């Protein structure tokens, strides 16, 4: 007997403990430099990976503002094949499960990359990141091309939630992660630069996005501007299934347990 | 990464920002050219500041010009590092040249001291000579010259250390008096590349990426000090 399409269910993805690093916050594999208490994270999310190598942006820059900073890098990476060659063994030996973040540029690229990740050890999901101005239809096509054996996490900035989230409600997507919002600031020469935003000022919009997605029945990894235990608790209260940490991990000497252990106990 | 508590003891104004003396309750070793991260202990979200100590003092360090203007004496800090790769000054060096085309010489001060300690004749070539050299207490044994004199000095120098902004790297060949590509360096040397390093090597974020003869490298973890021959005519 053939199953009709409606019988295909979401692939369950459980992140336990319910904490991850955000893509781009800790590199391509869980090295020893930033975090020593890996057992407090439920999974490691890699830096964004594209099918072909991406060079650093010509006007790469970090611009500080009152409550945070803007980062424009061009998401440099050596390309999918090189990343796989360089890190697949490290992922296999990692002290925690790995989620590979793919830059979703086109259908063909995703269709090439995802099957090759399915045969790697210790990878529990694929995360897709979209261009900031992507339409719901295009996002839908890209998501469709990425379905395979691995659960899929979709990265949405708070500003993409109202556009993209409705197409995810009845999809097979396992989770949605709220990622950094985008913004624009002038650089030292007065030239306007677009980039990803980090800092505590981002938290209120991230929290609202989590609340909206959870109300739609979607499983959400909340993040964006998380720096305190109180913010972690608020995300869980808003319905987050897990929490992602970004630039807080760049504070020298951060002990993860000061940020999240109390929240774990209360779960 | 080693991290420890520290305290800002003293501040002063320098041409390119506030300098200060930081008390550190933890012994540390740092190679000239390596950097440290410092942040206010209670500051939640600001990125740590990158500091290059200009000298080590009893129970701490002096940083010349990288502290935020709203930091005040008594401030409780968190310090971590040292990070990155510093200068490797060959013990055989007897004539050491140093060049700072676009900043103050504070980051090279530990190397100047190391050169003088090993008996080398040390010359410092500065852009904007008067305003920068007059502020810093430079050792009497150090010869200070204008940057325009650098190409001539390279005839006698047996090692050259340069401190330069990433965005000025493309002018490095011209600075050394090399005309056109593939010219041989007059002497071996190393370059401290100054740029933003927001993730300090934790994330490979790419803001501090620079092109070298060996491909793209990150100043935060492959540098910030690079061999000069890796950068001439390719970096930017």
């Amino acid at each position: 007997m053939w199953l009709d399409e409606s019988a295909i269910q979401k692939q369950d993805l459980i992140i336990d403990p319910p904490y991850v690093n955000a893509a781009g916050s800790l590199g391509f594999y869980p090295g020893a430099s930033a975090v020593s208490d890996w057992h407090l994270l439920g999974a490691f999310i890699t830096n964004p990976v594209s099918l072909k190598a991406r060079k650093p942006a010509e006007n790469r820059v970090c611009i500080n503002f009152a409550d945070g900073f803007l980062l424009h890098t061009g998401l440099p990476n050596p390309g999918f094949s090189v990343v796989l060659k360089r890190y697949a063994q490290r992922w296999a030996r990692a002290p925690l499960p790995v989620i590979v973040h793919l830059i979703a540029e086109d259908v063909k690229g995703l269709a090439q990359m995802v099957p090759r990740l399915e045969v790697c050890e210790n990878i529990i999901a694929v995360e897709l990141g979209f261009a900031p101005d992507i339409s719901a239809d295009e996002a839908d096509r890209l998501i469709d091309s990425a379905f395979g054996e691995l659960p899929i996490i979709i990265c949405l900035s708070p500003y993409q939630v109202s556009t993209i989230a409705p197409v995810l409600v009845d999809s097979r997507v396992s989770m949605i992660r709220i990622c950094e919002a985008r913004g624009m600031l002038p650089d030292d020469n007065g030239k306007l630069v677009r980039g990803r935003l980090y800092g505590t000022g981002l938290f209120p919009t991230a929290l609202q996005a989590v609340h909206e997605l959870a109300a739609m029945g979607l499983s959400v990894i909340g993040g964006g501007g998380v720096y305190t235990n109180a913010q972690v608790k608020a995300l869980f209260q808003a319905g987050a299934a897990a929490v992602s940490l970004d630039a807080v991990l760049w504070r020298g000497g951060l002990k993860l347990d000061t940020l999240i252990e109390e929240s774990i106990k209360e779960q | 990464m080693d991290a420890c508590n520290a305290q800002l003891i003293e501040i002063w104004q320098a041409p390119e920002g506030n300098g200060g003396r930081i008390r550190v309750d933890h012994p540390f070793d740092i190679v000239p050219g390596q950097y440290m991260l410092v942040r206010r202990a209670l500051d939640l979200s600001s990125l740590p500041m990158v500091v290059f100590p200009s000298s080590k003092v009893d129970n701490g360090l002096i940083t010349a010009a990288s502290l935020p203007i709203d930091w005040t004496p008594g401030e409780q800090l968190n310090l971590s590092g040292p990070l990155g790769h510093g200068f490797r000054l060959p013990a055989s060096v007897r004539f050491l040249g140093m060049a700072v085309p676009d900043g103050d010489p504070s980051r090279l001060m530990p190397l100047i001291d190391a050169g003088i300690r090993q008996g080398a004749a040390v010359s410092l070539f500065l852009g904007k000579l008067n305003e920068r050299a007059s502020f810093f207490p430079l050792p009497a044994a150090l010869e200070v010259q204008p940057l325009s004199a650098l190409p001539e000095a390279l005839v006698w120098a047996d090692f050259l250390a340069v401190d330069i902004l990433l965005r000025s790297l493309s002018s490095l060949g011209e600075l050394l008096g090399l005309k056109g590509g593939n010219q041989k360096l007059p002497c071996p040397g190393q370059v401290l590349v100054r740029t933003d390093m927001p993730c300090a090597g934790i994330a490979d974020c790419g803001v501090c990426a620079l092109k070298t003869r060996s491909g793209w490298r990150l100043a935060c973890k492959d540098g910030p000090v690079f061999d000069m021959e890796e950068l001439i005519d390719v970096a930017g």
Side-chain angles (χ1 to χ4, degrees):
Chain A
M1 178 185 134
W2 294 98
L3 291 173
D4 66 18
E5 216 169 276
S6 62
I8 298 172
Q9 299 296 310
K10 287 179 197 288
Q11 288 161 293
D12 284 337
L13 177 61
I14 295 165
I15 296 174
D16 182 27
Y19 302 94
V20 293
N21 63 298
S25 65
L26 286 179
F28 290 95
Y29 75 102
S33 62
V35 175
S36 53
D37 31 12
W38 291 111
H39 65 282
L40 294 174
L41 297 183
F44 174 89
I45 302 182
T46 70
N47 273 13
V49 181
S50 51
L51 181 63
K52 292 181 179 170
R54 285 170 71 119
K55 290 179 183 172
E58 197 69 33
N59 58 340
R60 55 198 177 273
V61 71
C62 175
I63 306 172
N64 289 295
F65 58 92
D67 284 328
F69 61 97
L70 176 148
L71 203 62
H72 174 57
T73 64
L75 301 178
N77 73 90
F80 183 76
S81 293
V82 175
V83 166
L84 213 54
K85 191 174 172 185
R86 210 176 273 175
Y87 301 111
Q89 285 300 314
R90 289 172 174 170
W91 294 337
R93 292 193 302 263
L96 71 173
V98 172
I99 296 167
V100 179
H101 180 108
L102 299 178
I103 301 173
E105 291 168 308
D106 59 64
V107 166
K108 273 188 178 176
L110 286 175
Q112 284 180 55
M113 292 189 282
V114 174
R116 292 177 68 187
L117 292 173
E118 289 170 352
V119 295
C120 293
E121 286 179 49
N122 200 28
I123 291 177
I124 58 164
V126 168
E127 180 175 273
L128 302 184
F130 297 128
D133 53 355
I134 194 169
S135 68
D137 286 346
E138 181 60 9
D140 203 23
R141 273 195 294 277
L142 289 168
I143 293 166
D144 235 22
S145 69
F147 277 119
E149 294 173 14
L150 289 169
I152 289 183
I153 300 171
I154 300 299
C155 253
L156 295 181
S157 79
Y159 303 113
Q160 288 177 308
V161 166
S162 59
T163 317
I164 312 289
V167 305
L168 304 177
V169 172
D170 292 320
S171 76
R172 289 178 289 163
V173 165
S174 298
M175 292 183 107
I176 295 163
R177 183 170 69 80
I178 297 297
C179 61
E180 312 82 36
R182 304 287 181 124
M184 185 186 269
L185 281 172
D187 65 12
D188 284 349
N189 302 316
K191 196 175 171 191
L192 297 178
V193 181
R194 291 175 200 271
R196 290 164 282 145
L197 302 176
Y198 297 87
T200 48
L202 282 297
F203 183 73
T205 50
L207 184 64
Q208 182 176 324
V210 168
H211 188 262
E212 287 172 9
L213 289 168
M216 296 163 85
L218 294 162
S219 182
V220 193
I221 303 172
V226 177
Y227 285 81
T228 68
N229 187 256
Q231 290 173 321
V232 170
K233 286 179 185 170
L235 285 168
F236 284 127
Q237 194 185 340
V243 169
S244 71
L245 306 170
D246 49 45
V248 68
L249 298 167
W250 297 358
R251 297 171 71 197
L254 173 73
K255 297 277 185 248
L256 274 181
D257 56 359
T258 61
L259 186 63
I260 63 182
E261 194 166 54
E262 201 179 330
S263 300
I264 290 177
K265 286 174 192 163
E266 291 176 8
Q267 283 292 297
Chain B
M1 182 188 299
D2 294 329
C4 64
N5 295 324
Q7 188 176 28
L8 185 58
I9 299 298
E10 184 184 353
I11 56 167
W12 54 83
Q13 287 184 318
E16 292 175 19
N18 279 5
R21 186 158 66 91
I22 297 173
R23 194 185 72 208
V24 186
D25 300 327
H26 185 74
F28 66 97
D29 278 319
I30 184 163
V31 173
Q34 283 188 303
Y35 62 98
M36 304 187 90
L37 299 179
V38 61
R39 63 176 168 84
R40 274 177 166 156
L42 298 178
D43 187 348
L44 288 180
S45 65
S46 296
L47 281 171
M49 304 296 303
V50 170
V51 295
F52 291 89
S54 56
S55 61
K56 275 180 74 174
V57 291
D58 285 345
N59 299 324
L61 60 90
I62 287 177
T63 178
S66 45
L67 301 178
I69 53 170
D70 60 340
W71 286 17
T72 53
E75 203 91 65
Q76 295 297 318
L77 305 174
N78 184 281
L79 188 79
S80 53
L83 298 167
H85 297 281
F87 287 100
R88 296 184 312 273
L89 184 65
S92 60
V93 168
R94 289 294 169 264
F95 298 99
L96 172 60
M98 299 195 180
V100 188
D102 50 15
D104 68 60
S106 61
R107 287 161 293 267
L108 293 184
M109 292 300 286
L111 193 65
I112 292 171
D113 291 340
I116 291 172
R117 270 202 310 275
Q118 72 180 46
V122 185
S123 290
L124 174 65
F125 300 87
L126 287 177
K128 295 186 183 173
L129 178 64
N130 293 334
E131 67 183 76
R132 280 167 183 155
S134 60
F135 184 82
F136 292 94
L138 299 171
L142 177 72
E143 182 185 38
V144 183
Q145 297 197 45
L147 196 64
S148 54
L150 179 62
E152 291 170 33
L154 293 178
V155 175
W156 56 260
D158 47 18
F159 192 85
L160 176 67
V162 178
D163 172 356
I164 193 169
L165 284 168
L166 174 59
R167 63 170 176 262
S168 306
L169 257 184
S170 54
S171 65
L172 186 59
E174 188 185 342
L175 184 74
L176 303 179
L178 302 178
K179 295 186 177 73
N182 296 322
Q183 282 207 16
K184 199 168 183 293
L185 283 173
C187 67
Q190 291 188 300
V191 182
L192 191 163
V193 179
R194 292 185 344 258
T195 180
D196 287 332
M197 298 186 286
C199 81
I202 288 170
D204 294 358
C205 75
V207 165
C208 66
L210 66 155
K211 203 174 177 184
T212 71
R213 288 194 189 278
S214 312
W216 287 96
R217 293 288 180 266
L218 299 173
C220 61
K221 69 179 193 186
D222 302 313
V225 174
F226 294 86
D227 287 343
M228 199 174 294
E229 61 188 12
E230 280 286 301
L231 305 182
I232 290 287
D233 295 330
V234 289

